[in-house]
Amino acid sequence: MKKKYFFSAFAAVLLFAGAAFTSCDDDDDNPAPGTRPTIKFENVIPTKNYVQSGSFAAVAPGATTSFTFHAAKGQRLMLAAMYSYSNDLFFAPENPGIELFNDSGVPNTGIIADAVKLWDNGTRVNEQPGPGVNHPGVAQAGVVTEVKGTDAAGHTYLAASSLFQVSLTFDTAQSLFTCTISNISNGTANETPFSGGVFVVSNLLDGKLVMDKPFFSVDQKSGTELTKLAEDGNVEPLKSLVADQTGIVTTLHGAIVVVYTGNTNPIYQLGQKDAQLGLAALAQRGDPAQLKASLEKVPQVRKIYTLTDTAQPGESMECTYEAAANEKVAFATMFGYSNDWFFANGPELNALTKGEVTSKTVLLDDGTAVSQYPGAGNAQFIFGGTVMPEDKAISAVGDSYPVPAVDGIVKITIY
């Protein structure tokens, strides 16, 4: 549950009135006296700026190069490469990057008009662009500015998109873009090779880009990593910098806690298909209501508690439940940036267990929706996507994607 802050006076009134707040919905409005453990779901995944990053090859006049990346609605593509016949000019989109989907979630494909602009890194005095340019040239202490027709020294340039062309194709099932960069400067007054380059796709949290100025800020000094690219075409410093800032992030979205008897986990059975009791709604959308309604009809189920909160990285949500010594507890919460993944306890848990149970927690694929790259799948609920159904058994999430270990994402404690 997101931590809420109240005005102190308001809190005092509630305390005086004896008001109490519960962090989960209880199926029993008047629980009998007994032991009441609390289960806490903490989202401990580090926040990373980018969901994917990488590099692409140098491009000679008249040639092309391509690279692929996953993305979803709202995410942007930023890339940069040196104008090689210059002292410190580089091609890049405007911040925050190339828009990949329209407001309806339709991918932008084909040639992307005006995808990039030409920028002056400001760290070298510009010379007449061409194969005889003196690398890196005379140093100066400048800032990043856009080159609009002419640079500070009066040298003339064609529009960037007349030299550097970007086109995109999209694979819907994988939510996978292929970006092709074409060097169309051949035969122009500004014919030039492009250096190799770096690209990133920014993560989204709470509907906002984690990083909206990935490589540079206009009218500010650039970092040493971009400077190495702009002056020498050296990809490695910037590539290494963004690689350290790249990784999957997720929310925890909704949860259910079930107190039961017997030897069968009422929420799921590993290796069997979803029983169509409502687990899919939790795993796909973070909605536990349907599963709660179904489990209320199961005799072995004693109590059910649900959470409808979303825990962003660094946040938590918790639920207090009533249990007895002869009962067991099971739980599940959605891996929010997925198509149908959820965390749940693997082995059985006594309902009065105390302490951290993260080591007993597993990340599972419900098998009811086609999986895509976590946090970059346009069919994922978090991006307003439409489910692509599949019909497979519930299984452990494997290593198809670079997902952190369970204890790198969640911490689950019963106290």
Side-chain angles (χ1 to χ4, degrees), residues 56-228:
F56 52 90
V59 195
T64 65
T65 191
S66 297
F67 60 91
T68 60
F69 61 92
H70 299 269
K73 180 182 174 183
Q75 292 175 316
R76 298 293 187 107
L77 170 67
M78 175 56 76
L79 55 86
M82 181 189 181
Y83 183 119
S84 296
Y85 286 171
S86 76
N87 298 90
D88 67 340
L89 304 185
F90 65 94
F91 294 99
E94 287 185 291
N95 287 320
I98 297 171
E99 187 174 19
L100 298 168
F101 296 85
N102 67 16
D103 291 342
S104 300
V106 177
N108 293 326
T109 57
I111 295 173
I112 308 301
D114 301 318
V116 300
K117 295 185 180 297
L118 185 59
W119 305 92
D120 186 340
N121 196 55
T123 50
R124 297 288 170 175
V125 175
N126 293 331
E127 302 174 26
Q128 181 64 41
V133 71
N134 178 34
H135 283 298
V138 179
Q140 64 178 3
V143 297
V144 176
T145 57
E146 183 183 349
V147 177
K148 298 180 179 179
T150 58
D151 62 20
H155 306 122
T156 302
Y157 298 85
L158 296 172
S161 290
S162 299
L163 309 172
F164 191 113
Q165 186 180 86
V166 175
S167 62
L168 297 172
T169 61
F170 185 65
D171 180 325
T172 300
Q174 298 183 75
S175 200
L176 181 71
F177 282 95
T178 297
C179 177
T180 299
I181 295 172
S182 301
N183 186 333
I184 56 174
S185 71
N186 48 308
T188 71
N190 293 136
E191 183 169 317
T192 180
F194 308 150
S195 74
V198 178
F199 74 89
V200 296
V201 179
S202 294
N203 265 317
L204 276 178
L205 277 175
D206 204 20
K208 299 176 182 178
L209 294 169
V210 175
M211 175 56 69
D212 60 1
K213 294 180 177 64
F215 294 162
F216 64 93
S217 295
V218 179
D219 296 329
Q220 295 185 25
K221 291 183 179 180
S222 65
T224 56
E225 296 83 5
L226 179 60
T227 296
K228 289 289 187 182

Side-chain angles (χ1 to χ4, degrees), residues 14-32:
L14 292 177
L15 184 62
F16 181 79
F21 288 90
T22 181
S23 55
C24 56
D25 294 326
D26 188 344
D27 66 338
D28 188 346
D29 293 330
N30 297 290

